[in-house]
Amino acid sequence: MRIAVLSDIHGNVFALEAALADVKRQGADVVVNAGDILSGPLEPAATADLLLSLGLPTIAGNHERQLLACEAARGSASDQFAFEHTTERHRAWVRGLPPVLEIGEEVLVCHGTPSKDFVYFLEEVGPSSGSRAAPLGLVEERAGGVSRGLVLCGHSHKPRAAAISGGRLVVCAGSVGLQAYDDDRPYPHVHENGSPHARYVICERGRDGWSVTFRCVPYDHAEAAATARRNGREDWARWLETGRV
């Protein structure tokens, strides 16, 4: 089995198109979308239309919850923009997305961890240390109760893999659409990948286990940054141009 995992598109249809073209060149038996799909100051409606046309297996991330919450109260700038620039058809699709997805008997797809879409699986954020790779014991705890050999996630935007007990492998796909950001939850921290390339991962089951190939794909990030600027988000424009905070 050969699985391509897209995650954290964040309305960046420019990066999504490039990633999908690269998936087509590389080949995959299945392409899955691990959430955080539309929120951001870019092209949420065009992103939703493209994904709806493809019908990929897709789960909801924390930003799907936050986007839908804008129906009741104003949300963050990124979630509110996506809410105001999508249609009821798009939001009905988002409402129907599951929080986790099983692929066959070997693969589990979640956004953050299997139980919490807002928790990084492979990173730890501290009050003084910022974000760093999570220690093995913490990853094991977050994977508790999961028996499948391959666990796929997103959320942190950091491409990363960790082997844990039972021969299991946890893989974060990185982000298709946003290579740097800052956050203040649970403590202030930044994540940055150092370049503007769209990122996703291909996992392939072989005789000796799962192989992992992180893909780093060029696209017209200048157009994405210009879109963010037109929509009043200089922070996003900088992140999109450089992959750095």
Side-chain angles (χ1 to χ4, degrees):
M1 179 184 289
R2 187 172 168 87
I3 305 171
V5 189
L6 312 175
S7 190
D8 296 272
I9 299 163
H10 285 285
N12 191 340
V13 72
F14 316 105
L16 176 59
E17 289 172 343
L20 288 168
D22 193 69
V23 170
K24 186 175 182 180
R25 289 190 293 269
Q26 299 299 315
D29 298 312
V30 61
V31 182
V32 300
N33 175 1
D36 277 12
I37 305 163
L38 306 178
S39 290
L42 299 176
E43 296 287 352
T47 301
D49 286 338
L50 176 54
L51 291 168
L52 279 164
S53 74
L54 297 174
L56 305 180
T58 298
I59 62 169
N62 59 296
H63 277 284
E64 278 62 66
R65 285 191 298 102
Q66 293 164 207
L67 185 157
L68 294 175
C70 294
E71 295 174 331
R74 189 170 186 84
S76 71
S78 294
D79 296 319
Q80 190 67 34
F81 182 92
F83 177 78
E84 294 176 1
H85 291 82
T86 49
T87 67
E88 176 54 31
R89 174 173 174 261
H90 300 144
R91 294 191 290 273
W93 170 61
V94 170
R95 284 189 205 99
L97 297 176
V100 296
L101 180 68
E102 297 173 349
I103 301 175
E105 297 182 353
E106 290 191 74
V107 181
L108 178 73
V109 186
C110 58
H111 180 68
T113 70
S115 62
K116 295 179 179 178
D117 61 18
F118 58 90
V119 172
Y120 300 142
F121 210 140
L122 299 181
E123 287 79 28
E124 177 183 45
V125 179
S128 59
S129 61
S131 179
R132 61 184 181 183
L136 177 60
L138 185 55
V139 179
E140 294 274 8
E141 178 183 324
R142 292 168 177 170
V146 175
S147 60
R148 283 170 168 75
L150 180 66
V151 184
L152 304 169
C153 65
H155 188 47
S156 73
H157 299 208
K158 297 289 292 181
R160 200 188 296 271
I164 60 175
S165 62
R168 295 172 295 168
L169 187 66
V170 182
V171 178
C172 181
S175 172
V176 170
L178 186 63
Q179 304 310 318
Y181 66 92
D182 58 29
D183 199 351
D184 59 3
R185 297 170 296 174
Y187 303 101
H189 63 281
V190 301
H191 279 175
E192 51 188 10
N193 289 326
S195 82
H197 296 69
R199 287 168 168 82
Y200 76 97
V201 70
I202 294 175
C203 299
E204 186 169 17
R205 186 73 167 92
R207 183 182 63 184
D208 298 321
W210 289 95
S211 65
V212 179
T213 303
F214 293 107
R215 299 292 298 168
C216 188
V217 183
Y219 77 100
D220 191 352
H221 58 272
E223 185 175 6
T227 302
R229 283 198 175 92
R230 285 196 300 272
N231 293 324
R233 294 297 299 274
E234 180 61 34
D235 53 351
W236 271 66
R238 183 175 66 254
W239 301 340
L240 290 162
E241 285 175 331
T242 66
R244 299 183 186 277
V245 174

